[in-house]
Amino acid sequence: DMQMTQSPSFVSASVGDRVTITCRASQDISRWLAWFQQKPGKAPKLLIYAASSLQSGVPSRFSGSGSGTDFSLTISSLQPEDSATYYCQQANSSPPGLSFGGGTKVEIK
Amino acid sequence: EVHLVESGGSLVQPGGSLRLSCAASGFTFSRYWMSWVRQAPGKGLQWVANIKQDGSERYYVDSVKGRFTVSRDNTQNSLYLQMNSLRAEDTAVYYCARIEEGSGYYRDFWGQGTLVTVSS
């Protein structure tokens, strides 16, 4: 089974900081990776698909990059409303299992 | 506007059964793979089951195989999850999600979730 490993599991940063989260796949998944944001008590929200495509309505301070097995999500200038847990999801499987990474909690200092 | 609304979550004893439902609206339900994803208290996301547009393919995470059954009714725009032989470790919020195809498979819309608690 495909394994997705995120790092770090927790990050604390100040408003305006640049924050980068990484996700590593256990197998080559080309560019088939998505990123989600989840706030407490809420459903996950799709931010990025196909590694770097921004979902409609998502602020441009969010960006994604990577291919193969190594990917990253960057928040260029952290805002208070970005406090959340972020998950990657592999999008390559056929048939789809579509497993998630373990999550990265982003805290505002 | 896409809407997914789950229902059916409740407190159930170990070994019991429960059926979750997800009512879909705002899109052509029969054109999409659908998915159940769960989240145990304080834990991360875990995919549970995925079902193809016509129900001909169904996939489950290993921990629920043989106990859970995903199904759908395209005439009613509804997704279901029949959960049998429930265990304490099945306690979680269960989300239904639409799977978008094209640039890979990813869950682009989610419901608000329904809580299943397995406890005596």
Side-chain angles (χ1 to χ4, degrees):
Chain A
D1 282 355
M2 180 82 67
Q3 301 298 319
M4 307 300 294
T5 304
Q6 282 183 240
S7 62
S9 56
F10 176 83
V11 60
S12 182
S14 300
V15 172
D17 283 354
R18 182 182 183 88
V19 173
T20 298
I21 298 165
T22 65
C23 179
R24 174 164 289 177
S26 59
Q27 304 170 34
D28 188 334
I29 57 171
S30 185
R31 293 182 58 79
W32 307 135
L33 185 101
W35 289 98
F36 294 86
Q37 176 193 65
Q38 187 183 32
K39 297 183 178 180
K42 300 293 187 182
K45 172 187 173 184
L46 178 66
L47 298 177
I48 301 279
Y49 62 94
S52 60
S53 296
L54 201 65
Q55 177 71 341
S56 177
V58 174
S60 59
R61 64 180 179 274
F62 291 93
S63 64
S65 64
S67 64
T69 60
D70 294 314
F71 301 86
S72 63
L73 172 71
T74 297
I75 309 172
S76 60
S77 177
L78 192 66
Q79 298 302 303
E81 60 267 31
D82 300 336
S83 177
T85 301
Y86 294 83
Y87 296 91
C88 62
Q89 179 223 294
Q90 65 94 356
N92 184 60
S93 291
S94 177
L98 310 179
S99 52
F100 296 93
T104 297
K105 186 174 183 178
V106 174
E107 176 193 87
I108 310 296
K109 281 183 182 175
Chain B
E1 186 180 1
V2 173
H3 276 293
L4 298 168
V5 180
E6 302 93 337
S7 60
S10 69
L11 172 64
V12 60
Q13 292 189 339
S17 297
L18 208 56
R19 189 194 197 207
L20 305 184
S21 300
C22 172
S25 61
F27 66 102
T28 305
F29 181 73
S30 60
R31 292 184 180 175
Y32 290 85
W33 281 83
M34 295 297 294
S35 181
W36 287 100
V37 175
R38 68 184 178 184
Q39 187 168 38
K43 302 297 185 181
L45 302 171
Q46 182 186 42
W47 80 275
V48 174
N50 299 326
I51 183 168
K52 197 175 181 180
Q53 288 89 335
D54 61 359
S56 61
E57 296 181 36
R58 311 178 193 204
Y59 302 96
Y60 302 92
V61 69
D62 284 349
S63 57
V64 308
K65 283 180 183 175
R67 301 189 298 123
F68 289 13
T69 302
V70 61
S71 62
R72 64 192 296 163
D73 183 341
N74 288 342
T75 66
Q76 298 292 319
N77 293 335
S78 293
L79 176 71
Y80 305 102
L81 186 67
Q82 178 66 43
M83 304 186 294
N84 299 330
S85 302
L86 281 161
R87 306 167 180 167
E89 55 265 35
D90 296 318
T91 294
V93 173
Y94 284 74
Y95 296 99
C96 73
R98 187 179 84 167
I99 296 175
E100 173 64 60
E101 294 181 72
S103 300
Y105 297 83
Y106 52 92
R107 298 173 177 90
D108 62 346
F109 286 96
W110 298 63
Q112 84 289 348
T114 188
L115 177 62
V116 173
T117 303
V118 184
S119 174
S120 55

